[in-house]
Amino acid sequence: MAHVLDNPVWNALISGNKPLAHGSAQVKLFAADVSPFVGFAHVSLVAFDQLRSLVPAGQRLGIISPGALAVPAEWLVSGPMRVWQMVQVRPKRGRVAGTPPLRPLGLAHVPAMLALTRWTNPGPFFSNTLAFGHYEGVFDGEELVAMAGQRLHVGPYTEISAVCTHPEYLGRGYASQLLHSQAQRMRAAGNTPFLHVRTDNAKAVRVYEAQGFEVRKELSIYLISMRPL
């Protein structure tokens, strides 16, 4: 039997992220200003035909796949990007000391969050990605210099996402503090934290491993868009 994390986007869109989902019986996706990720119940020509009816030409979409993905010719494809799917199997206890307090992030912080993700490129982040919830940040005065939040809610698993630190503030433990805070929140809700990271991002992998995350599986991310007619 397939594990729910083998098809994380689909399983999130039919469970914990269902309020943010739209689509059909075979294909579901988020609003374009929330996330580009689309989930298939099963990858098929029928599913791609349904997806074509749901999005305009040129809209960029992301597909997380456990293996090679066959995409019909009417779609432009880039990738795959190889990522590790990591699950926290050894929760870190206590607090992460010596770092500034975290502040919850809301709508008023969206311009600063967009600016920070442009600097750091932690993955797709749009004007309403905040809808996933529970974003926290580290500030230097009034400047947002690091943040993290949640994204996919897959049954008993919750994804930590958009972990990023401004380049001038690296090495201060902010990512570890944010990871620890997010993981504690998820554990308190009865969920197991997981995340995705590029396989070539060795520095980030070390940070995640120090927080008790272990590689569960290698996955591929494809970016696709429908060719103009």
Side-chain angles (χ1 to χ4, degrees):
M1 182 177 178
H3 194 285
V4 291
L5 291 182
D6 289 347
N7 191 0
V9 179
W10 172 260
N11 287 315
L13 286 164
I14 62 171
S15 61
N17 291 123
K18 192 173 181 178
L20 297 176
H22 68 96
S24 69
Q26 293 294 317
V27 183
K28 296 190 185 299
L29 62 162
F30 298 101
D33 64 349
V34 174
S35 172
F37 286 108
V38 56
F40 295 98
H42 303 285
V43 176
S44 67
L45 291 176
V46 171
F48 273 104
D49 281 344
Q50 291 185 11
L51 179 60
R52 186 170 54 183
S53 70
L54 293 169
V55 297
Q59 181 176 330
R60 211 171 193 200
L61 303 168
I63 302 173
I64 300 178
S65 175
L69 184 69
V71 181
E74 59 264 33
W75 295 86
L76 297 168
V77 185
S78 63
M81 177 195 304
R82 306 291 186 186
V83 298
W84 297 124
Q85 184 181 81
M86 303 183 73
V87 177
Q88 191 185 51
V89 296
R90 295 174 288 102
K92 191 174 180 66
R93 305 298 180 187
R95 296 179 66 256
V96 177
T99 48
L102 302 180
R103 288 165 52 180
L105 301 176
L107 289 174
H109 300 108
V110 168
M113 297 168 80
L114 290 168
L116 181 60
T117 55
R118 284 194 294 268
W119 267 101
T120 56
N121 193 27
F125 194 92
F126 302 127
S127 60
N128 203 29
T129 300
L130 188 72
F132 284 122
H134 302 304
Y135 275 86
E136 298 176 300
V138 176
F139 287 79
D140 181 2
E142 293 304 311
E143 181 184 3
L144 178 67
V145 298
M147 73 173 190
Q150 301 183 10
R151 186 166 62 186
L152 300 179
H153 297 267
V154 191
Y157 297 90
T158 302
E159 182 189 22
I160 300 175
S161 183
V163 182
C164 56
T165 303
H166 190 285
E168 294 180 4
Y169 292 82
L170 294 172
R172 305 188 189 190
Y174 295 166
S176 294
Q177 182 188 15
L178 287 158
L179 282 164
H180 184 58
S181 176
Q182 290 291 331
Q184 281 193 318
R185 178 190 295 273
M186 293 168 186
R187 293 281 180 185
N191 296 318
T192 299
F194 78 106
L195 51 81
H196 295 99
V197 58
R198 289 177 61 123
T199 57
D200 59 359
N201 193 347
K203 184 175 181 179
V205 170
R206 288 194 295 271
V207 171
Y208 300 149
E209 288 176 336
Q211 291 290 321
F213 287 82
E214 294 183 4
V215 173
R216 177 188 168 268
K217 193 165 190 170
E218 181 177 332
L219 300 173
S220 298
I221 297 180
Y222 293 82
L223 300 178
I224 69 169
S225 59
M226 192 166 51
R227 295 180 186 273
L229 297 177

